[in-house]
Amino acid sequence: MLIENLKKLGARSLENDSLDKGSISQVESELNITFTDGYESVLKSFDNSIVFDHGTIYKPVQNSPVDTSDGYQSLEMLYGLQGASNLVDKNKMYKDQIPEDCVVIGESIGGSQICLSRSSGKVYFWFHEAEFDDSSLFEISPVVDDFIKRLVRDEIVAGNRDVDESGSFLDF
């Protein structure tokens, strides 16, 4: 169900020139987390980071400063097992910036991160312009599988944005 939903949204793996592939168990061990079976199947199916050929949005449980007027937030990419935007490297990059209980699993617009709580399994939006504390976290979903199921196509931008190979949207 999760993979089918992602494919409906135009999800695809970023191109990758790396031959190194992390396994689920290696990534879980390095990040000190256990992923759900559903999220594991997504990681195995795509390997590399996942980008969307169309705009993709979600409606969070808790509002944040970057919500649209109708309460949605944008998802730019979900990190994968390998490539330049892999889970391990991204977590090393944000280690001293996000709350200790969190693991980054994706990127929202403007460099804010999608995070997974090690202790509760909840998914959060980390607002990178907020102070470094729990006030920078806004709950998106009670579990990662639910978060992925609730992703929807952003009809406003779907026809007007192209995704380049880095996963960035080109608006010019």
Side-chain angles (χ1 to χ4, degrees):
M1 167 101 176
L2 299 179
I3 296 164
E4 292 81 20
N5 188 47
L6 290 172
K7 288 185 176 182
K8 286 180 192 174
L9 297 169
R12 64 176 171 85
S13 291
L14 274 178
E15 293 296 320
N16 177 29
D17 57 5
S18 171
L19 298 176
D20 296 331
K21 180 178 177 184
S23 71
I24 297 286
S25 60
Q26 290 170 326
V27 171
E28 287 178 323
S29 176
E30 186 142 353
L31 300 179
N32 191 30
I33 194 167
T34 301
F35 298 131
T36 64
D37 291 343
Y39 185 55
E40 281 187 20
S41 72
V42 168
L43 292 172
K44 289 176 185 175
S45 292
F46 287 91
D47 288 332
N48 299 329
S49 294
I50 302 167
V51 293
F52 302 90
D53 287 334
H54 314 290
T56 301
I57 56 176
Y58 58 90
K59 195 163 202 162
V61 170
Q62 184 182 8
N63 293 337
S64 81
V66 299
D67 292 357
T68 61
S69 60
D70 54 358
Y72 284 89
Q73 294 173 2
S74 175
L75 176 65
E76 299 293 320
M77 82 168 51
L78 291 171
Y79 303 134
L81 297 174
Q82 63 187 15
S85 294
N86 70 70
L87 286 159
V88 172
D89 289 348
K90 286 295 184 174
N91 276 278
K92 286 178 183 175
M93 177 188 302
Y94 287 100
K95 180 182 178 197
D96 296 328
Q97 298 175 53
I98 63 168
E100 191 174 317
D101 182 51
C102 290
V103 170
V104 295
I105 62 167
E107 184 173 329
S108 186
I109 198 161
S112 292
Q113 299 295 301
I114 307 301
C115 300
L116 183 59
S117 168
R118 289 181 177 98
S119 59
S120 70
K122 291 182 179 182
V123 180
Y124 291 94
F125 170 81
W126 174 70
F127 184 47
H128 76 283
E129 293 183 23
E131 294 294 319
F132 177 73
D133 62 16
D134 288 339
S135 69
S136 63
L137 294 177
F138 300 87
E139 186 178 346
I140 295 172
S141 180
V143 291
V144 69
D145 294 11
D146 181 61
F147 166 65
I148 294 171
K149 285 178 194 172
R150 295 181 330 153
L151 293 173
V152 295
R153 183 175 172 155
D154 185 349
E155 296 298 335
I156 295 173
V157 298
N160 299 325
R161 296 172 87 184
D162 293 320
V163 181
D164 70 12
E165 283 306 311
S166 73
S168 296
F169 281 106
L170 302 175
D171 288 329
F172 50 89

